[in-house]
DNA sequence: ACCTTTTGTTAACGCCACTGAACATTTCTT
DNA sequence: AAGAAATGTTCAGTGGCGTTAACAAAAGGT
């Protein structure tokens, strides 16, 4: 009765996400610009994100319609209460994920950053919060945490697939999931 | 010099992803159908994913063009070598993430499933592999692992934001990241 | 005040991924 | 073999999200 990965009911929740990847970045860009320069204009946002002014203009008008973005007395862009909450939620998700990937999983800087960025806006409230708790604990200097980190850093050469049979994850499927070939789904389009 | 969250260079890698969320599910659907029924036809895939036959037809022809999907002697759908690798990679990512969310982070079943599904195809090779190592370790019956799980399950009421100052994550930002308000980015569109 | 530059908006277009409907093709039934 | 049913494809239409390019509005320089 457990949920199937391809249940028609669930897999499409993806694009039902209220917050798209790009929208999140528009919000964060406004936030960043305001703290960096004290103000944010449409053009600045466009430049910061590396999109055209047209794209920024249209995206921002959507965000205004949702009331996540407003304008101050000088017509500079401003995050509303909600907009600010969303932006900071996503930003925190990014920080936590990035740190988790780098410091706990020992993923390389580049990959950690890329993955955190792809995922930051998709992590639900609950998951984000609890990942924070985990990280808080794992990055503390409690003996237990230190040992876990040490354990993970030992894995650098692959926790060799030898002990597959004892691996509580692979166990069932019989083959070591970590030993899969590399399909060509990484990298960028031509 | 550390990478900024909004670097024009990186944030858009998102849509450069060679594997879209939906394509991943088309592949997995074929895989599932073949093991469940021994064959997979376009219509079956459409039904399994809850999309129209038209959508399935077009998606599948793209996948054929990429050579991730082929047909067998009876013109039933078939994953190519590459297609199968991709599908299983994504499937494994899903399993690992789901388990990580549920068993380690103690996220509710629903949310864990939803989040794992949204993220499964975005996790890079390296990150996926290392997350597997972590899970392998954390789900083992080693004393260390057991204690970590116990520690995490204690957090159920929030690892109260009291000790923020000592929190190695929140520390710098001054406020507890876990104490943020709930912006309305969860749930589905109207 | 006037002309130029900067900034913002809009329109036409392409790409992805869906829908629904019309059409073509295959397969099953009798 | 012929008609009905199931299966597969194609073709507008929609919405998200980008691009250029043309145009409107605001800001600045002399």
């Amino acid at each position: 009765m457990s949920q199937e990965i391809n249940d028609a009911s669930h897999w499409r929740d993806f694009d039902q996400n209220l917050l798209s990847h790009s929208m999140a970045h528009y919000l964060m860009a406004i936030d960043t610009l305001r703290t960096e320069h004290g103000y944010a204009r449409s053009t600045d946002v466009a430049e910061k994100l590396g999109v055209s002014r047209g794209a920024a203009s249209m995206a921002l008008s959507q965000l205004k319609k949702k009331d996540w973005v407003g304008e101050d007395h000088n017509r500079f862009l401003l995050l509303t209460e909600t907009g600010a909450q969303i932006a900071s939620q996503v930003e925190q998700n990014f920080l936590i994920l990035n740190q988790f990937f780098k410091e706990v999983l020992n993923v390389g800087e580049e990959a950690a950053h890329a993955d955190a960025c792809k995922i930051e806006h998709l992590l639900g409230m609950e998951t984000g919060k609890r990942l924070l708790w985990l990280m808080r604990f794992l990055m503390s200097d409690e003996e237990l945490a230190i040992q876990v980190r040490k354990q993970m850093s030992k894995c650098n050469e692959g926790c060799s697939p030898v002990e597959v049979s004892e691996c509580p994850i692979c166990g069932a499927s019989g083959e070591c999931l970590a030993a899969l070939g590399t399909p060509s789904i990484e990298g960028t389009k031509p």
Side-chain angles (χ1 to χ4, degrees), chain A residues 37-54:
Chain A
H37 305 129
Y39 65 89
R41 290 168 311 172
S42 176
T43 301
D44 307 322
V45 171
E47 198 195 350
K48 168 136 253 161
L49 295 184
V51 301
S52 67
R53 281 178 305 153

Side-chain angles (χ1 to χ4, degrees), chain A residues 25-42 44-45 48 60 64 68-81 83-84 87 91:
Chain A
H25 278 271
Y26 280 103
L27 292 179
M28 293 190 296
I30 294 174
D31 197 33
T32 309
L33 284 167
R34 283 195 75 96
T35 50
E36 272 177 7
H37 305 129
Y39 65 89
R41 290 168 311 172
S42 176
D44 307 322
V45 171
K48 168 136 253 161
L60 289 168
K64 285 173 189 164
W68 290 349
V69 166
E71 290 178 354
D72 64 17
H73 336 283
N74 301 315
R75 305 169 46 68
F76 288 135
L77 296 168
L78 199 60
L79 294 181
T80 63
E81 179 98 2
E91 221 145 334

Side-chain angles (χ1 to χ4, degrees), chain A residues 27 29 50 55 76 131-133 135 144 156 171 181:
Chain A
L27 292 179
F76 288 135
L131 182 59
L132 171 63
W133 299 347
M135 282 303 287
L144 191 47
N156 244 349

